[in-house]
């Protein structure tokens, strides 16, 4: 059988045998490492996004509960009736989202003098308001199984011009 020029052109020299296989395996290994790295990164980023969303939800419901208790005169009078250091009842704030809970409480801190007011014509009642938001199965704030939680504290005061 006579060898043609075409067959001679594609014949590998003895030193080059297997180089294509080794190069292909190396490239396959590099691509596999890149894919594995991207999958790990993607899973981490998804978990970070979920955590950020949970924290944002708890913050929003804690803020809503805080605003709710601040605007509730009944809670304010209840805290005053319980004396200095006394608190109002724990008020739950409905979110209508499963496992997302919120609550608030108002603590009476005592009397003071309003800024710019005369001692004889007004009394300032000082309070600390707490708003709590949390994701939990058993509706108990700050226990071991809270998945995310936010506690907001806000000082406030009310001025009364009514003599006691």
């Amino acid at each position: 059988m006579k060898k043609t020029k075409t067959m001679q052109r594609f014949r590998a020299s003895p030193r080059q045998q297997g180089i294509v296989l080794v190069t292909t395996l190396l490239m396959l290994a590099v691509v596999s490492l890149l894919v594995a790295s991207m999958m790990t990164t993607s899973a981490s980023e998804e978990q970070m996004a979920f955590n950020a969303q949970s924290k944002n939800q708890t913050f929003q419901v804690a803020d809503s509960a805080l605003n709710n208790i601040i605007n509730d005169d009944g809670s304010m009078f209840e805290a005053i009736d319980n004396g200095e250091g006394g608190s109002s009842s724990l008020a739950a704030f409905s979110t209508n989202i499963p496992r997302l809970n919120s609550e608030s409480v108002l603590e009476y801190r005592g009397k003071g003098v309003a800024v710019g007011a005369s001692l004889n014509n007004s009394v300032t009642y000082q309070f600390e308001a707490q708003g709590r938001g949390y994701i939990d199965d058993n509706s108990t704030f700050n226990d071991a199984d809270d998945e995310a939680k936010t506690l907001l504290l806000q000082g406030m005061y009310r001025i009364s011009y009514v003599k006691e």
Side-chain angles (χ1 to χ4, degrees), residues 86-98:
S87 298
S88 66
S89 300
L90 197 62
F93 184 77
S94 176
T95 63
N96 296 325
I97 299 173

Side-chain angles (χ1 to χ4, degrees), residues 59-75:
F59 177 83
Q60 295 297 328
V61 297
D63 188 49
S64 295
L66 185 66
N67 288 332
N68 193 36
I69 198 82
I70 286 173
N71 294 318
D72 183 16
D73 289 338
S75 295

Side-chain angles (χ1 to χ4, degrees), residues 62 65-71 88 103-109 126-132 151-157:
L66 185 66
N67 288 332
N68 193 36
I69 198 82
I70 286 173
N71 294 318
S88 66
E103 59 194 27
S104 54
V105 67
L106 196 62
E107 182 179 330
Y108 176 54
R109 294 296 184 142
Q126 300 169 346
F127 300 91
E128 179 182 277
Q130 291 185 16
R132 306 168 184 165
L151 172 64
L152 299 177
L153 300 174
Q154 180 173 332
M156 61 172 272
Y157 64 92

Side-chain angles (χ1 to χ4, degrees), residues 17-69:
Q17 289 182 354
I19 192 73
V20 173
L21 178 62
V22 171
T23 304
T24 304
L25 288 175
L26 284 174
M27 292 299 288
L28 185 61
V30 167
V31 169
S32 296
L33 286 173
L34 284 173
V35 168
S37 173
M38 286 189 294
M39 288 177 63
T40 303
T41 301
S42 175
S44 297
E45 288 175 353
E46 182 180 358
Q47 186 63 42
M48 288 188 297
F50 176 77
N51 290 342
Q53 181 182 15
S54 296
K55 193 66 175 170
N56 186 36
Q57 285 178 329
T58 60
F59 177 83
Q60 295 297 328
V61 297
D63 188 49
S64 295
L66 185 66
N67 288 332
N68 193 36
I69 198 82

Side-chain angles (χ1 to χ4, degrees), residues 101-133:
N101 305 294
S102 69
E103 59 194 27
S104 54
V105 67
L106 196 62
E107 182 179 330
Y108 176 54
R109 294 296 184 142
K111 294 180 186 177
V113 178
V115 176
S118 166
L119 290 174
N120 296 329
N121 65 358
S122 67
V123 175
T124 301
Y125 297 95
Q126 300 169 346
F127 300 91
E128 179 182 277
Q130 291 185 16
R132 306 168 184 165

Side-chain angles (χ1 to χ4, degrees), residues 142-158:
N142 209 21
D143 60 359
D145 69 338
D146 288 350
E147 294 173 25
K149 60 187 170 190
T150 301
L151 172 64
L152 299 177
L153 300 174
Q154 180 173 332
M156 61 172 272
Y157 64 92
R158 295 287 168 102

